Amino acid sequence: MIVVGARCAGAPVAMLAGRAGYRVLLLEKARFPQDKLSSHYLHQPAVALLDRWGLLGTVRASGCPPIERVSYEAPGVRLDGTLLPAEGHTATYAPRRHVLDPILAEGAVAGGAEFRQGCTVTGLLREGGRVAGVRFRANEGTEHTARARLVVGADGMRSAVARFAEARTTVENPPMTCTYYTYWEGLPAHFELYERPGRWVGVVPTNEGRTLVMAYFPQAEFGRVRTDARAAYLEAVRTTAPALHARMADAVQTERLYGTGEQLNFFRRAYGPGWALVGDAAHHKDSIAARGITDAFLQAQALVDHVGAELREPAVLDRAGARYADDLEERFTEFYRGTLNVAELRLPEERTSLLRAIAPNPTLVARYFGTISGVCGMEEFYNEELLEVLGGV
């Protein structure tokens, strides 16, 4: 197996495939440690997978604090709650990417993968109508080829593997938000969410005693926002989360502002003869729900589970890969739609009314937050207890 991209999707695939006994070449364009744009947050299912993979202790040892509490605030409503467990894990984490990505890559190497950094894939090898390997250029400029029964594209939203394989886009929606964020010292926080029509602010504590504060704007405002991003960022926090803004007055901004107006929303067909896609290469959505890392972990585990021991038989591999692609789209469609609903930044009255109704009930609040993490399905949330509460509103 050749895995292109060694971050949150590719490194776990390489690790799991190596542990399963495959020879794995893991290629990464960057050189670690290197930071990247990210919301950092790991929902409970991701934490459970890190524990299952034997890597959670390393993340904890990095100084990334556990997050035990979540809150949401919008005009006229506030929710405070704890987090439902996934495989016994209630605490979540939000590690910096220059911390998390090397931990994952080291896990892949420990699992048996050969890891090469500074390598850019320039094409795919084909044989008998199948992808059979890759062409890549090393950092010093030398050209190489490598062959494999399966090439996995885990190289992000603008995946070269997807482009070279001509992966078909099956679902696509226009970008909905743009975002800017930075880090603050002296700003104690939990997982905090704030919303008003046209704005969204997210807060998570991360490594080195720093706190990430992230502000979202409608995509239509990107041209204006980017002309003075810091002023727009601070104004968004001030008007959306006044108490947070007041706390920030006693904190210190430790890094420059980071941002993007390229938050694409799509599914690509995630399998073809001899190739597969995972993580953002297969499926990308607005970062407002902070699901990118969690979904990448889940897809990595799913791909290796589906492939199993079937790499040696092309016909059997194709059937397993097709099941993986079908399951990916089915499994993540609900999260995709829910994320785009939030990314509209409309704050509809029906959602506000629902949240006001459940606010006094800790069980319902925990289940509501569980629908965001994936621990609680919508069917479980909309149960008799909720219907009884709504009936009294």
Side-chain angles (χ1 to χ4, degrees):
M1 185 186 292
I2 296 171
V3 182
V4 180
R7 294 188 184 266
C8 293
V13 170
M15 175 190 69
L16 294 168
R19 291 177 180 178
Y22 290 115
R23 288 184 296 115
V24 181
L25 174 61
L26 177 61
L27 301 175
E28 170 56 44
K29 187 174 183 179
R31 288 192 173 274
F32 291 166
Q34 185 186 82
D35 223 352
K36 74 184 300 290
L37 291 173
S38 178
S39 58
H40 304 339
Y41 191 69
L42 308 178
H43 292 279
Q44 295 94 312
V47 176
L49 283 173
L50 280 176
D51 191 23
R52 195 189 305 174
W53 297 340
L55 301 178
L56 181 57
T58 311
V59 171
R60 287 171 170 160
S62 75
C64 186
I67 303 169
E68 306 276 3
R69 180 178 156 228
V70 59
S71 65
Y72 167 88
E73 188 173 312
V77 61
R78 181 178 173 86
L79 304 181
D80 279 285
T82 54
L83 301 162
L84 293 177
E87 298 180 23
H89 293 278
T90 54
T92 60
Y93 298 85
R96 291 289 295 264
R97 295 297 297 273
H98 67 256
V99 173
L100 177 64
D101 293 351
I103 289 172
L104 297 172
E106 288 162 11
V109 172
E114 177 187 353
F115 181 33
R116 298 190 194 178
Q117 303 181 66
C119 295
T120 301
V121 169
T122 57
L124 300 178
L125 305 179
R126 297 181 185 272
E127 185 176 286
R130 305 181 64 82
V131 168
V134 300
R135 297 185 184 88
F136 66 94
R137 183 174 58 253
N139 203 45
E140 64 275 12
T142 56
E143 301 286 341
H144 303 265
T145 61
R147 302 181 69 82
R149 295 185 184 272
L150 182 64
V151 173
V152 178
D155 49 342
M157 183 176 72
R158 300 196 178 281
S159 167
V161 173
R163 184 172 71 254
F164 293 136
E166 299 180 344
R168 178 169 53 91
T169 299
T170 58
V171 176
E172 187 172 17
N173 294 88
M176 301 184 72
T177 76
C178 57
T179 184
Y180 281 90
Y181 67 88
T182 189
Y183 302 89
W184 299 80
E185 241 174 40
L187 184 66
H190 50 280
F191 183 26
E192 304 175 29
L193 303 171
Y194 301 89
E195 183 178 15
R196 69 176 176 85
R199 296 291 183 269
W200 178 280
V201 173
V203 183
V204 286
T206 185
N207 295 87
E208 302 166 346
R210 297 179 181 181
T211 295
L212 169 72
V213 179
M214 203 163 190
Y216 287 81
F217 311 81
Q219 177 67 22
E221 297 184 21
F222 181 55
R224 178 188 62 79
V225 168
R226 69 189 302 187
T227 61
D228 192 347
R230 190 172 191 276
Y233 167 82
L234 292 173
E235 179 65 8
V237 176
R238 186 188 69 80
T239 56
T240 309
L244 170 65
H245 188 263
R247 287 155 53 200
M248 288 165 61
D250 298 321
V252 176
Q253 182 180 339
T254 59
E255 298 184 33
R256 70 175 181 86
L257 205 62
Y258 305 94
T260 181
E262 282 191 298
Q263 299 212 89
L264 305 184
N265 301 298
F266 64 80
F267 283 88
R268 293 186 179 116
R269 183 63 181 171
Y271 183 81
W275 60 270
L277 303 176
V278 67
D280 287 351
H283 162 49
H284 190 275
K285 55 186 173 290
D286 198 290
S287 65
I288 199 166
R291 286 206 56 90
I293 300 174
T294 300
D295 289 356
F297 284 7
L298 292 169
Q299 291 168 28
Q301 184 70 61
L303 176 61
V304 177
D305 287 347
H306 276 282
V307 168
E310 310 301 345
L311 276 186
R312 296 166 184 84
E313 297 293 336
V316 181
L317 172 60
D318 288 348
R319 289 194 291 271
R323 287 194 297 272
Y324 159 72
D326 291 342
D327 289 352
L328 184 150
E329 196 157 328
E330 180 179 348
R331 182 176 189 180
F332 293 98
T333 291
E334 185 176 292
F335 290 128
Y336 181 77
R337 291 172 178 164
T339 297
L340 296 194
N341 284 340
V342 174
E344 290 179 350
L345 299 178
R346 288 190 305 107
L347 193 56
E349 177 56 34
E350 56 267 28
R351 177 151 59 92
T352 304
S353 297
L354 168 67
L355 298 181
R356 285 196 199 101
I358 69 171
N361 187 316
T363 300
L364 291 178
V365 169
R367 286 179 185 160
Y368 175 75
F369 287 132
T371 65
I372 299 172
S373 69
V375 174
C376 179
M378 295 305 294
E379 301 84 359
E380 185 181 354
F381 176 62
Y382 283 97
N383 61 10
E384 291 184 7
E385 184 178 3
L386 175 61
L387 296 176
E388 185 177 330
V389 168
L390 294 178
V393 175

